[in-house]
Amino acid sequence: GAGVSQSPRYKVAKRGQDVALRCDPISGHVSLFWYQQALGQGPEFLTYFQNEAQLDKSGLPSDRFFAERPEGSVSTLKIQRTQQEDSAVYLCASSLGRLLGAAYVLVFGPGTRLTVL
Amino acid sequence: KNQVEQSPQSLIILEGKNCTLQCNYTVSPFSNLRWYKQDTGRGPVSLTIMTFSENTKSNGRYTATLDADTKQSSLHITASQLSDSASYICVVSRRYNTDKLIFGTGTRLQVFP
C-alpha cells in the first residue's frame, strides 16, 4: 500500500482483557518497529523486526507484551491481561532497510490509541 | 535525564512569522539526527535526516541545522502557516545501535491567524 496502516485505530479494553493490534507495513519494507507513545511524550521503542526475525525486544515493558511478524510483512502486537498503565498510542513504523548508520526514512503508521478502563 | 531534550516545550506564533525549535542531545556515539512532524492523532512524518557530516538541510520552509561538536540541532520554520501547527520531535540514533531511535518529547507548535 501507499503507507503504513494500523488497525484498529481506537481500542477500548477492560482491565484484564487481551488485545491484538495489527500493523501493515509498506510492501517491501524490511524493517518494522513498534513504539509506545504516552500522552504528551515522545514514542518509546518496544521492539524491532528485520523480515520475520525479532532482533530486539528489549523495550517490551513486561512479558504481557508479545509481538510477531511470522511472514515478514504484517505484524501483530499482543497485550495480555491489559492494565491501565498500558493506555497509550501504539505506533508501528517500517523502513526499506536496516537503519545501520544510514539515513533510511522511517515511515510511521497513524497509530492505535488503546484505552484500558 | 533525557538523552534528547527539546525546547521550548510549547510555542505559539502568528501566521507568517518565523520560529526556531531547539534540540540538545547527549547520545553518543552519534549516528544521525531526524526531525519529525506529528499532527494530532497521526503518526510522525519525517522532515529531515542529518548525518554527522551534515550541518544544514532544508525541506521547503523547514531548515534543520546540526552542530555535532556541541550536540545541538535546530529546526527553523519560515513564514509559518496554520498547517504547521503540530508537535515537532527530534530523534537521534546511536552508532552501532541505529535500530533503537531515541526520541525527544517534542515541541508543541500552535500557529494562529
Side-chain angles (χ1 to χ4, degrees):
Chain A
V4 178
S5 59
Q6 293 186 244
S7 61
R9 289 295 313 278
Y10 303 91
K11 176 69 179 177
V12 178
K14 291 183 179 178
R15 188 161 55 95
Q17 191 177 351
D18 297 348
V19 298
L21 313 180
R22 177 188 169 107
C23 172
D24 285 79
I26 293 174
S27 178
H29 274 198
V30 169
S31 300
L32 185 145
F33 300 78
W34 282 99
Y35 292 89
Q36 181 189 58
Q37 186 173 26
L39 189 64
Q41 301 295 313
E44 297 271 351
F45 171 83
L46 292 177
T47 186
Y48 158 64
F49 290 86
Q50 187 173 358
N51 296 308
E52 69 278 2
Q54 189 174 19
L55 299 186
D56 190 339
K57 56 181 180 179
S58 62
L60 296 177
S62 75
D63 58 7
R64 296 186 295 104
F65 286 71
F66 171 77
E68 59 182 5
R69 194 186 185 196
E71 297 179 0
S73 55
V74 172
S75 177
T76 303
L77 176 67
K78 298 179 180 178
I79 309 173
Q80 297 177 321
R81 304 181 304 280
T82 52
Q83 304 294 316
Q84 285 188 320
E85 62 262 28
D86 300 335
S87 296
V89 174
Y90 290 86
L91 293 166
C92 175
S94 69
S95 75
L96 188 59
R98 186 142 190 205
L99 296 176
L100 276 175
Y104 287 112
V105 175
L106 193 61
V107 182
F108 283 84
T112 294
R113 180 176 294 279
L114 172 65
T115 303
V116 181
L117 303 176
Chain B
K1 181 173 167 62
N2 291 332
Q3 295 187 68
V4 179
E5 292 196 332
Q6 294 187 243
S7 63
Q9 191 171 14
S10 61
L11 181 63
I12 298 174
I13 62 173
L14 293 176
E15 186 179 14
K17 298 296 185 183
N18 303 335
C19 67
T20 300
L21 315 180
Q22 301 290 343
C23 174
N24 295 340
Y25 62 92
T26 59
V27 177
S28 181
F30 172 83
S31 176
N32 60 69
L33 184 145
R34 306 154 187 256
W35 281 95
Y36 279 87
K37 177 187 179 186
Q38 186 173 23
D39 292 309
T40 302
R42 312 285 287 270
V45 174
S46 179
L47 295 175
T48 64
I49 304 173
M50 288 184 293
T51 58
F52 184 86
S53 59
E54 296 177 292
N55 300 119
T56 184
K57 185 166 281 189
S58 292
N59 178 0
R61 294 180 297 103
Y62 301 102
T63 299
T65 65
L66 173 65
D67 185 336
D69 291 330
T70 61
K71 298 186 178 180
Q72 295 179 326
S73 176
S74 66
L75 180 70
H76 185 76
I77 304 175
T78 304
S80 60
Q81 299 177 359
L82 299 179
S83 58
D84 293 332
S85 296
S87 288
Y88 292 84
I89 306 175
C90 176
V91 187
V92 180
S93 66
R94 182 183 287 117
R95 204 184 314 161
Y96 314 126
N97 191 12
T98 51
D99 304 332
K100 201 173 294 184
L101 300 179
I102 302 165
F103 288 74
T105 55
T107 291
R108 175 71 188 160
L109 174 66
Q110 292 179 276
V111 181
F112 284 104

